[in-house]
Amino acid sequence: MLKIGEFSKLSRVSIRMLRHYDELGLLAPQSIDPFTGYRYYGEDQLPLAGQICALKDMGFGLAEVKAILACQGDRAVLDRFLADKQAELTRREETIRQQLRLLDTARKSLRKDEPMMQYNVSLKTLPQRQVASVRMTLPSYDQEGMLWSVLVSETASLKLQPDDPCYCSVIFHDGEYKEADVDVEAQKTVKGTYPDTEHVKFKTMPPVTFASATYRGPYSKISEVNAAVAAWVRDNGYVYDGFAFNIYHVSPHETSNPEEFVTEVCYPVRKP
């Protein structure tokens, strides 16, 4: 038998945490002296302490550790726990990478001598046009590529003729910003007539007048562009008149470098 201090040294777990593990029912001492209150652990409990530490190092909370230890004999259940945690950490890793990119961009902007980026806003009209359209509910806005994949795959055999000019755009049909389950429609202007496919619909879009600003760079700048367009709409006496949309002049389809993206942020407007 090992005193709690000895067990702490061998297991590399602090006495405070050993007492906490006992309170949670994770790792109880094998015996407690009824007179002195001293806690004693067995050498055979060291592997369990090691398992708890290993699971904590993987990112599991103590409640999750307790659930995992309760199903130790079921490898399939254990693998599901591990797979779910791996997927969660992967999502967090992607979020952290995006945050690091934003921080890097912000620091680079601070180090530049030129003034803050100014966006030129103008009033335009898109004429009536024929489009190939895919509209779906997506998990989030950054999953927009799913729409383009569907459009390309389902129309490959139709040999679509792009219009001139050809506009590739997305319309955001929700009247607000949503964190999940977003209603987005991708459109590509085409010439000719084609049969609808399972998800791709061909239709004629009416003319639309809109305020827009075109910028070069990553999509993380869109909030700045939105602010510039909103200020223009206010200052010029217009009101919003439909769902916002983006036109992609240079997109991830043409380049993998976000600094080379060219995006036009568009808001339909009218005079009140």
Side-chain angles (χ1 to χ4, degrees):
M1 298 285 284
L2 300 168
K3 292 182 179 179
I4 190 170
E6 296 170 329
F7 190 81
S8 170
K9 184 175 182 179
L10 290 169
S11 65
R12 301 181 66 84
V13 178
S14 70
I15 291 176
R16 181 184 66 83
M17 285 306 299
L18 286 174
R19 293 181 184 276
H20 188 46
Y21 292 168
D22 184 17
E23 292 171 358
L24 296 176
L26 278 174
L27 179 59
Q30 283 189 351
S31 67
I32 300 177
D33 189 300
F35 299 104
T36 64
Y38 290 165
R39 297 162 181 254
Y40 294 92
Y41 291 82
E43 289 84 352
D44 58 351
Q45 290 182 288
L46 287 169
L48 176 56
Q51 283 181 298
I52 294 171
C53 291
L55 290 168
K56 284 182 61 183
D57 288 343
M58 294 177 197
F60 289 103
L62 291 179
E64 294 173 305
V65 170
K66 186 174 183 180
I68 292 171
L69 294 178
C71 61
Q72 278 280 30
D74 193 327
R75 289 177 175 267
V77 172
L78 176 58
D79 186 60
R80 283 200 297 274
F81 272 108
L82 298 177
D84 289 345
K85 178 58 66 175
Q86 188 175 38
E88 175 194 333
L89 293 175
T90 298
R91 290 192 296 270
R92 287 168 56 189
E93 179 184 29
E94 293 171 353
T95 299
I96 290 171
R97 285 180 178 174
Q98 173 65 7
Q99 291 170 336
L100 287 171
R101 285 194 293 268
L102 293 173
L103 286 168
D104 184 58
T105 299
R107 294 189 66 202
K108 286 178 179 177
S109 297
L110 287 174
R111 290 193 292 265
K112 291 179 180 178
D113 291 332
E114 66 262 21
M116 296 293 288
M117 178 66 72
Q118 299 295 316
Y119 301 101
N120 294 318
V121 182
S122 58
L123 189 67
K124 297 182 179 180
T125 298
L126 271 181
Q128 179 175 292
R129 59 214 178 275
Q130 179 78 1
V131 301
S133 164
V134 179
R135 181 175 175 178
M136 298 172 66
T137 299
L138 304 177
S140 59
Y141 293 104
D142 60 4
Q143 300 298 310
E144 185 184 303
M146 296 169 58
L147 299 174
W148 298 109
S149 295
V150 170
L151 193 152
V152 170
S153 62
E154 291 193 10
T155 62
S157 62
L158 300 179
K159 302 187 184 303
L160 299 183
Q161 293 296 311
D163 201 359
D164 185 18
C166 180
Y167 295 108
C168 291
S169 61
V170 294
I171 302 173
F172 304 101
H173 285 281
D174 295 306
E176 60 186 281
Y177 179 87
K178 296 178 64 177
E179 295 181 353
D181 299 327
V182 296
D183 185 357
V184 184
E185 178 181 359
Q187 293 184 353
K188 178 179 180 178
T189 54
V190 296
K191 292 189 294 187
T193 57
Y194 307 90
D196 291 345
T197 67
E198 181 181 359
H199 299 98
V200 181
K201 310 302 176 186
F202 294 90
K203 60 184 180 180
T204 300
M205 296 296 294
V208 58
T209 298
F210 58 96
S212 76
T214 301
Y215 78 97
R216 180 187 179 95
Y219 297 137
S220 57
K221 291 184 178 180
I222 282 183
S223 292
E224 298 176 21
V225 186
N226 284 343
V229 175
W232 185 95
V233 171
R234 177 201 62 204
D235 294 343
N236 288 273
Y238 283 87
V239 294
Y240 299 103
D241 190 34
F243 295 114
F245 61 97
N246 292 339
I247 298 175
Y248 300 119
H249 298 286
V250 179
S251 71
H253 180 69
E254 289 81 29
T255 177
S256 59
N257 182 2
E259 296 298 330
E260 297 175 352
F261 296 167
V262 178
T263 309
E264 186 170 1
V265 178
C266 309
Y267 283 83
V269 294
R270 61 176 174 80
K271 281 289 187 179

